[in-house]
Amino acid sequence: MAQLYRFSLAVLAIAFNVQHLVSAVPMENVKRQATEVPPFVLSYAPKVWLHSQDPYFPSDIGAQLAHTKPQINFNVVAGAPDPLTLDNLASLNDLGGQDVYLTSVDDITTNPTWLEGVRPDANGKTNGAISCAVIVNDRGAGNVDAYYMYFYAFDVGNTLLGQEVGNHVGDWEHNMIRFKDGIPQAV
């Protein structure tokens, strides 16, 4: 019988300064930045159960970056940091922004081991890996949206008419819980 592994959320809280992360024009120029993740967001964090026979597990975001190079139109971006890390990733916004794509430096058809991710331990932790993030959006008046994001280096698509479709490198899965005054209202 197949065994399930529990993947508990290792929290990386990301406070948003929206005007620096998107290219949309805000309706009003309001800078909101959380100073901490509200305790109820952590208390209600979802537990994700993974099938033991799935060959792909949550992945380390930094490890993914180490196996990529930034490109625009299949040309390496001049002046891009090397190595690319979580600490210098935002610098790509000044080197082409939305036109930059992170491209694997490895032939992914050979299934390099970094695509497999990090198998959670018996306690559900992906030791040594930052494989998820929590994004908190305080909407005001006691309304808070919490996005629980899970990163996978590779995602297998479905089989349709005997052919695999939809396989892709770099995948974010997520759950969102809407809270009102610290009580979950919707998932």
Side-chain angles (χ1 to χ4, degrees):
M1 179 173 206
Q3 184 178 7
L4 294 176
Y5 290 93
R6 184 182 60 154
F7 168 54
S8 63
L9 194 60
V11 178
L12 168 65
I14 297 178
F16 267 129
N17 179 346
V18 175
Q19 56 197 152
H20 289 96
L21 294 178
V22 295
S23 60
V25 177
M27 290 176 54
E28 71 182 73
N29 193 8
V30 176
K31 182 177 178 181
R32 294 188 308 189
Q33 189 166 354
T35 56
E36 63 184 46
V37 175
F40 59 85
V41 169
L42 301 178
S43 295
Y44 289 102
K47 291 183 180 175
V48 179
W49 295 87
L50 303 172
H51 196 281
S52 63
Q53 294 176 351
D54 189 337
Y56 302 102
F57 289 98
S59 302
D60 182 57
I61 302 164
Q64 178 88 4
L65 292 175
H67 293 279
T68 62
K69 59 186 171 203
Q71 292 186 335
I72 297 176
N73 295 326
F74 303 101
N75 296 305
V76 174
V77 175
D82 186 20
L84 194 57
T85 68
L86 290 171
D87 293 325
N88 62 28
L89 185 61
S91 67
L92 296 178
N93 292 330
D94 295 329
L95 299 173
Q98 66 184 11
D99 294 326
V100 176
Y101 289 85
L102 299 180
T103 305
S104 175
V105 296
D106 302 314
D107 178 358
I108 62 161
T109 64
T110 64
N111 201 28
T113 57
W114 60 270
L115 286 181
E116 297 170 5
V118 178
R119 182 181 293 269
D121 67 15
N123 296 314
K125 295 185 179 182
T126 53
N127 292 308
I130 297 174
S131 58
C132 55
V134 177
I135 301 168
V136 178
N137 183 7
D138 184 344
R139 302 175 64 79
N143 296 304
V144 173
D145 291 344
Y147 297 84
Y148 304 89
M149 310 290 294
Y150 319 99
F151 183 72
Y152 290 79
F154 186 75
D155 189 27
V156 177
N158 293 317
T159 302
L160 180 64
L161 300 174
Q163 186 170 347
E164 284 187 34
V165 293
N167 293 353
H168 54 281
V169 175
D171 186 44
W172 284 98
E173 301 292 345
H174 74 281
N175 306 90
M176 190 276 281
I177 300 177
R178 175 159 292 156
F179 296 92
K180 174 69 174 172
D181 299 323
I183 306 297
Q185 301 297 305
V187 177

